[in-house]
């Protein structure tokens, strides 16, 4: 880490992760697309061990919950010191606490984060973190979904994976972004590849017809059907948006 206040000017998208398990990073982010982008300096990753910011002997970071109950809670002083070290001056990066109580992560939020300078991510453990540090540092709470992980690290890795693949130069020729699930409010259409017939199942004829217009229409219809069946929530938003677009067009 660079000395406080002496952070050199930088261009890469920077992720600082606060964790009790720095050895979990880069983990899967060191491989494949994200790993290549990390190596080439498109993004940077700093994993900070919160125990390094404990002023206690035995480097303790947690204590029992006030009011009783099971488990342990991460202390606000330790978490705040670690956050302040991760971002000594406000450099525009949002500070995010991965938490099941947070707003569910969406592709829209991912795209906004990827367009910014990076993120500071706090990974909770045990019962979570003292509420006061969430308030005092204005942490945004982000959830991966309605289930409980044992720690924030897999959520941080997922969030970073989703952001990094959108950074310029990461997906390269595969920049298929605009047709993917969620990009246009729909789930994606099904994919097929060779062999032409597999276990008696054929690739839908339209896909091998060479007729781009028909392929596009088929894919759109499939995407709409899949979304309507599987995700009524997305479907009703999409239909609402579509109706708005149509009424705007007729204005
Ligand atoms: N007692 C908490 C759960 C703690 S789980 C509660 O009931 O809300 C321990 C840590 O795992 C949390 O602090 C958080 O950082 C992480 N975590 C668990 N589930 C998560 C989810 N769905 N999304 C993001 N982070 C999660």
């Amino acid at each position: 880490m660079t000395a406080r206040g002496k952070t050199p000017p930088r261009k890469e998208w920077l992720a600082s992760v606060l964790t009790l398990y720095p050895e979990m990073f880069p983990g899967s982010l060191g491989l494949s697309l994200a790993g290549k982008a990390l190596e080439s300096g498109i993004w940077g990753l700093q994993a900070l061990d919160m125990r390094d910011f404990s002023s206690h002997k035995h480097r303790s970071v947690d204590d029992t919950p006030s009011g009783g109950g099971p488990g342990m809670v991460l202390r606000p002083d330790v978490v705040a010191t670690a956050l302040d070290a991760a971002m000594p001056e406000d450099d525009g990066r949002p500070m995010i606490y991965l938490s099941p109580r947070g707003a569910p992560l969406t592709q829209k939020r991912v795209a906004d984060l990827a367009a910014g300078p990076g993120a500071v991510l706090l990974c909770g453990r045990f019962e979570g973190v003292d509420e006061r540090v969430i308030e005092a540092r204005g942490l945004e709470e982000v959830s991966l979904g309605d289930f409980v992980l044992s720690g924030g690290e897999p959520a941080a890795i997922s969030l970073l994976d989703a952001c990094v693949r959108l950074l310029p130069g990461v997906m390269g020729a595969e920049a298929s972004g605009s047709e993917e699930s969620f990009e246009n409010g729909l789930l994606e259409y099904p994919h097929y590849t060779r062999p032409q017939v597999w276990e008696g199942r054929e690739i839908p004829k339209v896909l091998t017809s060479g007729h781009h217009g028909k392929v596009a229409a088929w894919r759109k219809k499939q995407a709409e059907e899949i979304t309507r069946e599987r995700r009524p929530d997305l479907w009703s938003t999409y239909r609402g948006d579509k109706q708005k677009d149509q009424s705007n067009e007729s204005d």
Side-chain angles (χ1 to χ4, degrees):
M1 248 200 49
T2 47
R4 189 172 267 263
K6 294 242 175 86
T7 318
R10 50 153 223 273
K11 276 210 212 88
E12 92 274 17
W13 196 88
L14 183 64
S16 302
V17 182
L18 275 55
T19 171
L20 294 181
Y21 296 96
E23 59 275 31
M24 286 191 184
F25 295 87
S28 61
L29 297 170
L31 302 165
S32 189
L33 282 184
K36 276 185 210 134
L38 189 58
E39 221 166 85
S40 66
I42 293 177
W43 71 295
L45 175 65
Q46 199 177 37
L48 303 179
D49 186 343
M50 283 191 279
R51 291 195 192 279
D52 292 345
F53 301 93
S54 167
S55 55
H56 305 86
K57 52 179 181 179
H58 310 309
R59 311 205 317 147
S60 116
V61 292
D62 56 336
D63 212 327
T64 53
S66 305
M72 299 295 272
V73 176
L74 285 166
R75 294 172 52 108
D77 52 341
V78 177
V79 173
T81 309
L83 283 168
D84 297 346
M87 191 161 69
E89 286 160 26
D90 186 356
D91 59 18
R93 289 180 298 158
M95 291 201 280
I96 294 176
Y97 169 41
L98 283 316
S99 152
R101 299 189 322 187
L105 186 60
T106 60
Q107 188 63 18
K108 162 109 186 33
R109 186 72 189 105
V110 166
D112 287 348
L113 285 171
V120 178
L121 304 179
L122 168 61
C123 302
R125 279 273 153 184
F126 319 121
E127 290 309 312
V129 306
D130 187 301
E131 190 69 20
R132 291 169 295 176
V133 72
I134 300 177
E135 291 166 11
R137 292 296 181 274
L139 301 183
E140 172 187 348
E141 290 187 64
V142 169
S143 169
L144 215 57
D146 291 343
F147 48 85
V148 182
L149 298 164
S150 55
E153 291 79 4
I157 288 173
S158 300
L159 183 149
L160 291 175
D161 181 284
C163 289
V164 166
R165 64 192 284 285
L166 297 185
L167 298 177
V170 174
M171 275 197 287
E174 296 166 43
S176 52
S178 63
E179 287 212 353
E180 267 167 345
S181 289
F182 311 115
E183 286 293 343
N184 53 10
L186 293 173
L187 301 177
E188 204 184 35
Y189 50 80
H191 295 287
Y192 297 86
T193 186
R194 280 182 286 268
Q196 177 67 31
V197 183
W198 175 76
E199 291 195 352
R201 294 161 189 266
E202 279 191 44
I203 295 175
K205 290 259 176 330
V206 58
L207 296 180
T208 47
S209 67
H211 194 301
H212 296 305
K214 280 189 185 156
V215 169
W218 181 87
R219 285 180 167 165
K220 178 147 188 260
K221 188 157 169 283
Q222 290 286 320
E224 289 183 343
E225 268 172 31
I226 287 172
T227 307
R228 183 169 52 76
E229 277 168 28
R230 299 186 186 181
R231 292 291 299 273
D233 55 329
L234 293 179
W235 180 243
S236 67
T237 308
Y238 172 76
R239 295 242 316 186
D241 285 355
K242 219 170 133 182
Q243 272 157 17
K244 254 185 267 153
D245 288 351
Q246 277 162 0
S247 65
N248 285 346
E249 272 163 29
S250 60
D251 282 349

